[in-house]
Amino acid sequence: MPQAAGARQGATLILLSMLPILAIAGLVAVLPVLLDVFRDTPHAELLVPMVLTLPSLCVALFSSLAGAIADRWGRRPLLLLALAGFSLLGLAPLLFSSLEAVLASRVVVGLAEASILTCTNTLWGDYFPDDARRRWLGYQQMSGPVSNALLAAAGGALAAHHWAAPFWLYLLGLPALLLAYVFLHEPERAAPPVRQDTARFPWATAGRIAIVTLGVSVVFFILAIQQGRVFAAKGVSSPALSGQLIMLVSLAAIAGAACFNALRNRPIRLQLALGLACYGTSYVGIWLAGSVPATAAASALGQFASSIVLPALIAWTLASFAPLHRGRGAGVWGAVFFAGQFVSAPLLTGIEHLAAGLSPAIGCVGIAALAAAFTTLCFHLKDDK
């Protein structure tokens, strides 16, 4: 049974869970600006999106290690150290003028993000039993769209002044560090299991979760990363206006979170199938949209889908691992999920070359998501609770 926790721990974890995606929410509107600033850098088309996605590669590479450290030495010490590094090193691009230096700083930020993500997800499992955990994850998704919308608007407004100004948003990690220090306690350690078979890490379970998570993650991050480019392709030239549009469509995720809360006790495969179907419809709609309002409406459906698939995947993962392995299991999930984020940008670039445009490429991903939604309904996922 997870150690008792209350509203202060839940609210603090909700705040911490937003930090690893700050690079997307706060910087997505600046992507067209970065492409223009660094247009003379060789391979800028491929390298500039990595300002957003490179931290995710580090999360993918080091989340499993972070989970093992959290299981062995504790969640709280690692989390506090990572929060301090996140806040200070996230500001580093303010000091640089070359794309290479910016990318190098993003690697270090990614190491901190790996620990924050893993420890936060693990503490959801440590603090709350299953039904309360799913309810809190629903609350997290309800509050997330509001903060993400504000970050997107702030990032767009800051980008209008200077391409590096949105990185000031990393200062938000400092109050998060204070709240974590005051309100989060280290969970009690359970005694090691006597039987050797229960002590082994359940790789088969982790593998099933990883396969599903990778596919969903690639679809999830297509819109999350490319939203600024989507509006630019439809005629929105102002980063500030792009940030405002992203803020508006992000609010649709609140309805998606409410939908997840209503369906939180239904099988995971049904939740994932609904989310993928909404993504597919959204992406095909973006492809066919002939105006900015139509594009915004289609994008809003994608935001709705995001608040269904993300808590569903996290709840499934945390329910599938015993406390002894929960940190490592959460690390595996984080590694695969953010690997999907890193893969999504170059994958879409490749599809874009084949499909002769950004909108047709997103439409192709939408068709694949619709097919995946149908396939998901046809298979029962073991450990699907």
Side-chain angles (χ1 to χ4, degrees), residues 19 83-84 86-88 91 170-180:
L19 296 180
L83 285 168
F86 175 87
S87 300
L88 298 177
L91 300 173
Y170 278 88
L171 285 176
L172 294 173
L174 293 178
L177 171 61
L178 177 61
L179 291 174

Side-chain angles (χ1 to χ4, degrees), residues 8-384:
R8 290 182 298 181
Q9 287 75 31
T12 301
L13 290 177
I14 286 176
L15 175 61
L16 297 183
S17 66
M18 299 172 188
L19 296 180
I21 59 172
L22 188 151
I24 300 299
L27 303 180
V28 64
V30 80
L31 183 56
V33 177
L34 292 174
L35 285 168
D36 182 61
V37 169
F38 296 112
R39 62 183 179 275
D40 295 330
T41 302
H43 310 295
E45 182 184 30
L46 180 63
L47 293 177
V48 168
M50 291 185 183
V51 173
L52 276 67
T53 61
L54 193 55
S56 303
L57 176 61
C58 296
V59 174
L61 292 175
F62 297 107
S63 284
S64 295
L65 176 60
I69 293 173
D71 280 341
R72 185 174 180 85
W73 286 299
R75 298 29 164 152
R76 189 173 182 270
L78 179 61
L79 178 60
L80 295 178
L81 178 63
L83 285 168
F86 175 87
S87 300
L88 298 177
L89 297 171
L91 300 173
L94 292 164
L95 306 175
F96 304 136
S97 59
S98 73
L99 180 58
E100 292 79 4
V102 171
L103 291 175
S105 72
R106 304 299 286 162
V107 171
V108 184
V109 170
L111 298 177
E113 288 187 3
S115 298
I116 295 171
L117 176 77
T118 301
C119 292
T120 299
N121 283 337
T122 304
L123 287 172
W124 280 124
D126 292 336
Y127 285 163
F128 300 101
D130 186 63
D131 185 64
R133 181 189 310 142
R134 294 190 184 210
R135 187 172 64 252
W136 273 106
L137 288 172
Y139 294 154
Q140 172 185 309
Q141 290 304 121
M142 287 182 179
S143 59
V146 177
S147 63
N148 289 350
L150 293 174
L151 286 171
L158 289 169
H161 295 283
H162 190 272
W163 68 265
F167 290 94
W168 282 110
L169 294 172
Y170 278 88
L171 285 176
L172 294 173
L174 293 178
L177 171 61
L178 177 61
L179 291 174
Y181 181 81
V182 173
F183 293 129
L184 299 186
H185 56 270
E186 181 67 21
E188 295 179 0
R189 296 296 187 95
V194 176
R195 290 174 52 191
Q196 186 176 1
D197 60 339
T198 59
R200 296 196 187 102
F201 184 76
W203 285 109
T205 297
R208 286 190 293 272
I209 293 172
I211 291 171
V212 174
T213 297
L214 181 61
V216 174
S217 174
V218 170
V219 176
F220 178 98
F221 281 111
I222 290 292
L223 184 61
I225 294 172
Q226 305 293 338
Q227 184 71 87
R229 288 188 65 209
V230 166
F231 283 127
K234 299 295 183 177
V236 178
S237 58
S238 167
L241 178 58
S242 180
Q244 292 168 6
L245 288 170
I246 293 170
M247 177 186 69
L248 290 175
V249 301
S250 296
L251 296 178
I254 298 175
C259 180
F260 170 78
N261 249 340
L263 301 175
R264 68 178 184 270
N265 293 320
R266 300 301 298 272
I268 296 294
R269 66 187 177 90
L270 296 181
Q271 298 169 2
L272 293 179
L274 174 61
L276 287 169
C278 290
Y279 266 128
T281 305
S282 168
Y283 289 2
V284 172
I286 289 172
W287 175 22
L288 301 177
S291 65
V292 172
T295 303
S299 298
L301 182 58
Q303 297 292 340
F304 177 89
S306 69
S307 287
I308 297 175
V309 299
L310 184 55
L313 288 171
I314 295 174
W316 181 32
T317 300
L318 296 178
S320 299
F321 294 96
L324 176 68
H325 301 301
R326 187 170 288 138
R328 196 172 180 185
V332 169
W333 179 86
V336 175
F337 184 76
F338 279 86
Q341 180 183 351
F342 186 78
V343 166
S344 67
L347 176 63
L348 185 66
T349 298
I351 299 174
E352 189 176 346
H353 285 305
L354 295 175
L358 176 63
S359 294
I362 291 177
C364 291
V365 176
I367 294 172
L370 290 172
F374 177 78
T375 303
T376 301
L377 287 175
C378 298
F379 289 91
H380 175 73
L381 299 174
K382 191 175 180 181
D383 304 315
D384 182 0

